Amino acid sequence: MVRECVEESFGPKKMTKKSIVDSCKKNKLYITPHLNDILYLNYSGYNAIESLEEYVGLKCLWLECNAISEIKGLEYQTELKCLYLQNNLITKIENLDSCKQLDTLNLSHNHITRIENCGHDILPVLNTLNLSHNYLKTADNLDHLRHCNFVSVLDLSHNRIEDIAIVKILGGMKELRVLTMTGNPVVNEIPSYRKTLILECKNLTYLDTRPVFDRDRACAEAWKRGGYEEERKELLRWKKEEQRKIRRSINATLRMRHRGDGEPELLKTSSDEEDEDKASKCGKDMSSMLEINQKTNEQAWAEVEKNVLHYS
């Protein structure tokens, strides 16, 4: 008797209507199933998803840290938007056909070896996909990502990805904004890893632990055009522009503070900016000279035409 109680307390448990109601009571949710839009069934030791037929209004379902080995039993959750299945024993992505409104899917810390059954035909509005800490390895295992048309946040960190062909697959994800690839062998295999991914993923705004700024993208494109020397020049140009903006902002603040008290002591421009100003001024002078020459030439040509007509 004691042994049975111990096994019931610590071993895998069956998800029943009673256990789900008990969970609702514990988390101060509705006892009437269809009134709940969120359900906390995490850290419960369940070995399967079942008995959810009456919970038709669910929008968020927490099932992490159980012993679930198969995605199933979600046929009636047609309004589900967030599904958290991390830290389980799942080996395959499947049986999500009824969850057409699913926006976020977390399958990290499982045993998945292939991405499948999550394309736009099955999950048409899927936006966030977390598959970190799984067993993904080759480009063939990841090729299904080409069909995830609306995924903008993708976490593939700490897998076993070693095929550099993943770059082209990721480049084909037009809506991809946030990408995490840390902990994969391929990170060290891709030449100039960060610049390469920024160039391939046109809309990327965050890569691994750092955001992708406009300066990063401009420098990557310069590197592609002319190598490291061109990248250095582009970086220097951005730094000068940033310094110029900061200087102008500070000077504007100083003018506001000293309004009516005379002209304040402003930050002076750097020598490189002075050179640029001189160059721009010289360019303006040259353009004005060209305009004068153009007018002179036009007048001379008009006189020639007048003389030709006179002698004819």
Side-chain angles (χ1 to χ4, degrees):
M1 180 71 179
V2 175
R3 183 176 179 182
E4 290 179 357
C5 292
V6 170
E7 288 181 354
E8 185 177 350
S9 300
F10 295 98
K13 292 197 303 184
K14 185 178 178 64
M15 188 182 294
T16 62
K17 292 184 178 181
K18 182 180 182 303
S19 66
I20 296 173
V21 170
D22 290 341
S23 177
C24 290
K25 291 178 181 178
K26 179 183 175 182
N27 292 288
K28 298 180 179 181
L29 301 175
Y30 297 107
I31 297 177
T32 305
H34 70 272
L35 296 177
N36 290 290
D37 59 0
I38 188 169
L39 203 56
Y40 299 102
L41 300 177
N42 47 339
Y43 297 95
S44 301
Y46 293 128
N47 57 6
I49 305 171
E50 48 192 348
S51 304
L52 292 175
E53 295 84 0
E54 297 178 358
Y55 294 83
V56 294
L58 285 182
K59 289 182 171 58
C60 186
L61 180 58
W62 296 81
L63 288 165
E64 79 272 20
C65 295
N66 283 292
I68 298 168
S69 59
E70 185 180 358
I71 302 175
K72 63 177 183 178
L74 299 172
E75 293 81 7
Y76 298 93
Q77 280 64 56
T78 56
E79 298 180 16
L80 195 64
K81 293 183 181 296
C82 301
L83 178 59
Y84 299 99
L85 279 164
Q86 63 267 31
N87 294 94
N88 277 286
L89 305 172
I90 297 167
T91 58
K92 185 178 181 181
I93 305 173
E94 57 184 343
N95 300 323
L96 292 171
D97 306 69
S98 59
C99 304
K100 297 296 183 184
Q101 297 186 37
L102 195 64
D103 175 87
T104 301
L105 177 60
N106 192 333
L107 288 166
S108 62
H109 294 273
N110 277 285
H111 300 276
I112 295 168
T113 58
R114 173 183 289 272
I115 299 176
E116 55 188 335
N117 301 319
C118 59
H120 68 276
D121 55 331
I122 296 176
L123 301 177
V125 296
L126 184 64
N127 178 71
T128 302
L129 179 60
N130 190 337
L131 287 166
S132 62
H133 295 274
N134 275 282
Y135 294 89
L136 303 168
K137 187 175 181 180
T138 66
D140 183 59
N141 300 153
L142 301 158
D143 192 64
H144 189 72
L145 287 173
R146 298 179 190 272
H147 305 290
C148 298
N149 294 356
F150 299 103
V151 170
S152 63
V153 181
L154 178 63
D155 191 344
L156 296 174
S157 61
H158 301 286
N159 275 275
R160 302 179 181 184
I161 303 169
E162 57 186 12
D163 194 341
I164 62 174
I166 180 66
V167 173
K168 292 298 180 184
I169 295 173
L170 296 172
M173 300 178 69
K174 304 302 181 185
E175 296 298 321
L176 189 61
R177 300 288 193 280
V178 180
L179 174 64
T180 309
M181 289 282 291
T182 53
N184 286 289
V186 73
V187 171
N188 298 321
E189 298 295 328
I190 300 173
S192 301
Y193 162 74
R194 187 171 178 83
K195 286 192 280 286
T196 300
L197 281 180
I198 289 173
L199 288 169
E200 287 294 329
C201 304
K202 305 298 183 183
N203 295 315
L204 203 63
T205 58
Y206 211 98
L207 177 58
D208 295 333
T209 58
R210 291 156 50 197
V212 178
F213 296 108
D214 292 337
R215 183 178 70 175
D216 299 327
R217 188 167 295 282
C219 289
E221 291 172 353
W223 170 76
K224 184 179 180 180
R225 289 194 308 268
Y228 290 106
E229 181 61 25
E230 189 71 20
E231 181 188 4
R232 186 188 66 80
K233 292 179 181 178
E234 184 69 18
L235 181 59
L236 185 61
R237 187 183 70 80
W238 275 84
K239 285 183 177 179
K240 287 180 180 178
E241 184 61 29
E242 288 173 359
Q243 291 172 357
R244 185 181 291 109
K245 287 180 180 178
I246 293 171
R247 190 180 303 114
R248 288 173 179 171
S249 177
I250 293 173
N251 286 339
T253 304
L254 290 172
R255 287 192 182 96
M256 289 179 65
R257 286 184 176 180
H258 292 79
R259 186 176 295 173
D261 298 334
E263 185 68 18
E265 186 178 349
L266 302 177
L267 291 179
K268 295 181 180 180
T269 58
S270 59
S271 58
D272 56 350
E273 189 171 338
E274 289 175 356
D275 292 340
E276 289 179 5
D277 291 340
K278 288 178 181 178
S280 61
K281 185 178 180 181
C282 182
K284 291 179 181 178
D285 293 340
M286 287 293 292
S287 62
S288 61
M289 288 177 64
L290 287 172
E291 288 177 2
I292 294 171
N293 290 335
Q294 180 69 19
K295 290 179 181 177
T296 305
N297 291 336
E298 289 176 355
Q299 290 173 359
W301 183 250
E303 290 179 2
V304 170
E305 287 183 334
K306 187 177 180 181
N307 292 332
V308 169
L309 290 171
H310 177 72
Y311 286 109
S312 61

